[in-house]
Amino acid sequence: MTERTVAVNYVARVEGEGALRVRIEQQAVKEVELRIFEPPRFFEAFLRGRSYLEAPDITSRICGICPVAYQMSASHALESIAGIEVRGPLRSLRRLLYAGEWIESHALHIFLLHLPDFLGFPDAVHMAEKHPEVVKQGLELKRVGNQVMEVLGGRAIHPINPRIGGFYRCPNREEVQGLEAPLEGALGQAEATARFVATLPFPNVEEDYDFVSLRHPEEYPMNEGRIVSSSGLDVPFERFEEEFQEQQVPWSNALQSRTKEGRTYLVGPLARFALNRDRLTPKAATLARELQVPAPVRNPFQAILVRSLEMVVAIEEALRIVRSYHEPPEPFLSPPTPFRGGIGRWATEAPRGLLYHRYEVGADGIIREAKIVPPTAQNQARIEQDVRHLVERSIGLGDAELQDACERAIRNHDPCISCATHFLQLDLQRD
Amino acid sequence: MSPPRAPPRLAVFKLASCDGCQLTLLDCENELLEVTRHLEIADFREASSAVIEGPYDVALVEGSVTTEEDRRRIQEIRASSSTLVTIGACATAGGIQALRNFADVEEFRRNVYPSPEYIRALATSTPVRDHVPVDVELRGCPISKHQLLELISALLTHRAPDLPHDSVCIECKRRGNVCVLVARGTPCLGPVTQAGCGAVCPAYDRGCYGCFGPQGTPNAPSMIHRLHELGMSRAEVSRVFRTFNAASPEFRRASEGEAREGESS
């Protein structure tokens, strides 16, 4: 056989609809195409003509797994146009909400999507038959993340409470203090999770990633920071579009990003951890030392370990904010009048990595242009490289084993295909 | 009830959507393992790589029809499912992506796409019900976890699910919220929006924005009149009806009427 095609027609245990096609010729990998066939929904097109105040509600619908990330990047970008700077207790509340989303999203991926690969099950439900305590622990961690989002956001999926300038209503002290005990329980469970996943059998693989993430002077990055990379980039986030470019490929409904030099790069937990190891919270830092987690982690399969450490970070941060909470005097800041409009850019760290938004808004408060670059679109080309290397290493495997291995290589990066596909400009094919 | 010998087979499918409604099933953290003791999850790609071929007793379908491929796929799903349940605003009303239904196609086309020939999409986003008969609809953007569990319990015990068609106002009263519309003059779509969310927005000092779509007997003209009294322009009123259920018949009529009047005045 000189030519062979390995196809995964539907990548399971990822968010959204994707497929993979690998073409092998004369024992060499010729093509790797991560095909994203998730239908485009054209958010950037229909954001035009909407009030800037509507953007947090609308953009949250890009992703049911990480709606807060969209609300945060949109709110900050638009507040920079409106002349609002959210500081102090309101800023802390946003960080608490974002931490809730990190906990929920990471717990979902670690326990329900990723761990079945390592323990040899098709899903968490089957895994629960053999490892009930592990699955229950995962569901409990996920529940606590959702509980934080419910208190701060009103509900866990598409929270209704965040708005431009802050929140519609700030939770009172009692509501926030009610989170302390569940978060304390979750902290112990998250530490146990990290210790447990550190014992998993990891394939011996190292990838030469160019990591890209935000970096903040004091904190593990969530809502703000400069864009830094492992190849030495260090620029304000406003320069995102000058440093990174998107290109279209025929096989995918998502644009692919590369650096301006044309190289692939990686965003997400591995990148954040590599570039912010000195910003870990105390227990996460101790745990990373105890478990001898390499710096940086270049083995994509160990992303599950890094996600566990980030879950500890998010819970410690949430606890810190909950314990010092005082209800802010006002739930939100209003824009200074008159509103002049302009262009605003921002980047935050979604659970899956850097999420960039740019808006142009008129003096009437109506959005003229919107651009959104989600983490999975940025990682797409790099994930294809991971798959190529895997196939090169494992070319002797049979088709079924190779397909399975390819799916695992994709799942390592927790791609969110619904996010990646939201942003294509509209081309209509008439009915 | 004791689990039957052959548990009903459940499948979860996705069309154009954000994954949030199927995530709601995984968000039933306290109930998930119990639910799976009574049902066999036969096809749920977001959660499992094990796939059992149809037919299925129950299919939950998230998302709207926006491509030729999905138009074909929904026929197959219907053919292989005894009970078809649509979950969420995309599947029941076309979702936020149905805003394209109102767009001037030529205006959209002027937005130059690098290689538009690679992209396949229909000119409209439509609810599943426009393509195949639907047995039960769960509203909401996203759906309510409680309604999902109520639906699953009802299916398992062969009874009709309790899914009220009355307005958010009823839930607001039950929750003990102060009416944001009457007491504060905050624009609120609660009177014309179907219950199910638990009146979450008014509980957070915010007006309802209609994510559960129109209630059974909405009085949209009266709602619009009140919104104008509160100082909203026709363009603004048109926009509040054009969000996640923009293509539902009642909200579409309301937004189109306001857009038309706005242009002629």
Side-chain angles (χ1 to χ4, degrees):
Chain A
M1 186 178 71
T2 54
E3 191 173 327
R4 176 183 175 199
T5 304
V6 176
V8 177
N9 292 326
Y10 198 122
V11 183
R13 273 183 282 131
V14 301
E15 292 89 19
E17 301 181 289
L20 180 74
R21 191 176 147 275
V22 181
R23 199 164 64 78
I24 302 165
E25 234 179 79
Q26 312 285 4
Q27 297 294 302
V29 181
K30 287 293 174 198
E31 286 165 0
V32 174
E33 295 177 352
L34 180 58
R35 289 181 47 233
I36 289 186
F37 58 87
E38 172 93 19
R41 291 190 294 148
F42 312 119
F43 275 80
E44 286 169 331
F46 59 65
L47 276 164
R48 294 172 308 156
R50 307 296 301 214
S51 161
Y52 79 104
L53 295 168
E54 296 179 285
D57 290 333
I58 292 177
T59 57
S60 71
R61 266 66 182 188
I62 291 170
C63 180
I65 326 285
C66 58
V68 170
Y70 286 90
Q71 293 179 327
M72 291 297 113
S73 284
S75 297
H76 284 295
L78 290 160
E79 284 159 4
S80 76
I81 298 174
I84 299 171
E85 200 185 335
V86 173
R87 275 181 291 207
L90 281 176
R91 179 184 185 278
S92 297
L93 274 184
R94 279 189 167 170
R95 191 166 169 85
L96 177 58
L97 175 67
Y98 219 154
E101 179 161 287
W102 278 34
I103 299 165
E104 174 271 328
S105 177
H106 279 4
L108 173 73
H109 193 260
I110 292 166
F111 291 95
L112 301 187
L113 309 184
H114 209 188
L115 195 54
D117 280 341
F118 293 95
L119 299 183
F121 294 92
D123 53 55
V125 172
H126 287 91
M127 193 166 70
E129 290 163 12
K130 197 81 182 283
H131 304 278
E133 293 315 312
V134 173
V135 175
K136 279 182 194 154
Q137 178 172 296
L139 289 171
E140 173 59 15
L141 280 161
K142 188 165 163 313
R143 192 195 64 74
V144 173
N146 276 337
Q147 191 181 350
V148 172
M149 289 170 74
E150 281 160 17
V151 169
L152 271 288
R155 62 184 174 198
I157 300 171
H158 305 326
I160 52 87
N161 195 24
R163 56 162 291 162
I164 300 288
F167 295 89
Y168 285 91
R169 174 172 78 76
C170 286
N172 59 41
R173 216 163 155 204
E174 215 177 16
E175 288 174 286
V176 171
Q177 279 171 343
L179 295 170
E180 189 172 350
L183 282 165
E184 278 171 352
L187 182 56
Q189 291 190 316
E191 289 177 290
T193 300
R195 291 194 178 95
F196 169 62
V197 300
T199 66
L200 295 171
F202 295 110
N204 192 12
V205 180
E206 294 258 297
E207 290 284 343
D208 186 19
Y209 295 117
D210 188 4
F211 293 122
V212 174
S213 87
L214 293 183
R215 184 167 162 85
H216 184 272
E218 288 130 38
E219 302 164 332
Y220 203 76
M222 284 187 189
N223 281 62
E224 66 215 33
R226 289 170 68 82
I227 297 176
V228 298
S229 84
S230 51
S231 54
L233 185 73
D234 183 356
V235 294
F237 59 75
E238 289 91 342
R239 281 188 53 82
F240 178 86
E241 287 178 72
E242 282 126 78
E243 299 295 336
F244 303 98
Q245 285 149 6
E246 295 177 292
Q247 59 183 44
Q248 196 186 0
V249 291
W251 59 85
S252 178
N253 284 355
L255 299 177
Q256 295 193 344
S257 294
R258 287 176 192 268
T259 65
K260 67 179 174 204
E261 297 84 14
R263 283 177 290 114
T264 63
Y265 63 99
L266 190 79
V267 300
L270 289 180
R272 279 192 298 256
F273 182 74
L275 298 163
N276 294 280
R277 184 156 184 156
D278 54 345
R279 300 279 184 271
L280 291 175
T281 46
K283 282 190 159 47
T286 307
L287 203 52
R289 270 194 306 275
E290 175 199 317
L291 300 173
Q292 299 178 330
V293 183
V297 174
R298 294 193 178 278
N299 180 346
F301 292 88
Q302 288 183 323
I304 192 168
L305 176 56
V306 174
R307 260 182 218 104
S308 306
L309 290 171
E310 283 202 337
M311 201 157 58
V312 174
V313 170
I315 295 169
E316 283 191 275
E317 279 297 86
L319 270 171
R320 182 182 61 79
I321 295 165
V322 163
R323 285 176 180 146
S324 61
Y325 180 66
H326 291 278
E327 198 175 329
E330 296 292 335
F332 63 89
L333 306 172
S334 299
T337 46
F339 183 86
R340 289 200 177 83
I343 294 176
R345 305 171 175 86
W346 207 276
T348 70
E349 284 287 345
R352 286 163 194 76
L354 194 140
L355 168 61
Y356 173 81
H357 287 221
R358 168 171 53 79
Y359 297 91
E360 186 183 341
V361 181
D364 54 1
I366 299 296
I367 295 171
R368 301 278 189 270
E369 284 291 332
K371 181 186 177 72
I372 298 172
V373 186
T376 293
Q378 299 175 68
N379 280 348
Q380 218 185 166
R382 192 61 191 76
I383 294 173
E384 286 179 351
Q385 261 177 297
D386 271 27
V387 171
R388 174 180 287 269
H389 297 159
L390 177 126
V391 175
E392 283 166 355
R393 282 194 309 270
S394 329
I395 208 147
L397 288 179
D399 280 3
E401 287 89 356
L402 197 52
Q403 278 172 12
D404 189 57
C406 287
E407 272 198 86
R408 287 191 63 179
I410 295 168
R411 231 176 265 131
N412 282 336
H413 295 290
D414 189 11
C416 186
I417 293 171
S418 306
C419 286
T421 318
H422 75 278
F423 58 92
L424 295 172
Q425 299 294 304
L426 185 54
D427 174 69
L428 291 168
Q429 176 206 315
R430 282 286 203 179
D431 268 0
Chain B
M1 89 179 222
S2 60
R5 272 194 182 281
R9 282 188 169 179
L10 175 83
V12 184
F13 297 107
K14 170 192 154 60
L15 309 172
S17 64
C18 78
D19 286 48
C21 290
Q22 50 178 323
L23 178 67
T24 307
L25 184 57
L26 300 179
D27 273 358
C28 299
E29 290 102 1
N30 295 334
E31 301 87 2
L32 185 65
L33 294 178
E34 180 63 23
V35 165
T36 58
R37 267 195 282 278
H38 299 281
L39 292 164
E40 180 176 27
I41 296 184
D43 190 345
F44 185 5
R45 306 291 171 102
E46 182 169 316
S48 178
S49 36
V51 175
I52 300 169
E53 293 278 306
Y56 307 108
D57 297 291
V58 184
L60 303 180
V61 180
E62 168 190 289
S64 65
V65 177
T66 63
T67 61
E68 279 296 347
E69 169 63 14
D70 282 350
R71 193 144 69 175
R72 191 185 57 70
R73 209 151 65 94
I74 193 62
Q75 298 293 339
E76 288 174 10
I77 293 169
R78 174 71 272 189
S80 61
S81 313
S82 305
T83 301
L84 193 158
V85 182
T86 47
I87 57 170
C90 297
T92 61
I96 185 82
Q97 57 272 21
L99 290 177
R100 82 181 70 177
N101 303 7
F102 302 88
D104 171 352
V105 175
E106 288 312 310
E107 194 273 329
F108 271 88
R109 279 187 193 285
R110 279 202 297 276
N111 239 317
V112 181
Y113 188 80
S115 310
E117 68 276 14
Y118 300 154
I119 307 301
R120 294 272 172 272
L122 298 173
T124 56
S125 167
T126 43
V128 170
R129 148 173 37 81
D130 286 6
H131 302 267
V132 295
V134 171
D135 300 299
V136 188
E137 291 192 336
L138 283 190
R139 296 280 198 85
C141 183
I143 56 168
S144 135
K145 187 159 94 176
H146 302 291
Q147 289 200 337
L148 178 63
L149 288 169
E150 161 60 16
L151 171 91
I152 291 171
S153 313
L155 290 169
L156 287 172
T157 51
H158 307 289
R159 63 173 172 81
D162 178 20
L163 302 169
H165 295 288
D166 45 19
S167 72
V168 170
C169 296
I170 308 292
E171 289 191 313
C172 233
K173 301 295 168 287
R174 262 193 222 124
R175 191 164 174 160
N177 290 337
V178 172
C179 179
V180 295
L181 183 64
V182 172
R184 302 207 180 101
T186 303
C188 178
L189 292 187
V192 294
T193 300
Q194 184 165 304
C197 64
V200 61
C201 286
Y204 278 79
D205 293 350
R206 154 171 213 191
C208 163
Y209 61 83
C211 74
F212 270 63
Q215 54 120 319
T217 52
N219 186 346
S222 171
M223 182 82 252
I224 290 167
H225 179 68
R226 187 78 187 99
L227 295 177
H228 288 160
E229 283 179 350
L230 292 170
M232 287 177 76
S233 69
R234 291 197 184 278
E236 285 169 328
V237 173
S238 177
R239 281 205 302 271
V240 300
F241 283 105
R242 266 185 203 175
T243 61
F244 316 104
N245 292 277
S248 69
E250 295 84 352
F251 283 8
R252 189 183 63 225
R253 269 199 300 280
S255 78
E256 282 177 343
E258 285 297 281
R260 223 174 13 248
E261 296 285 329
E263 276 161 25
S264 61
S265 63

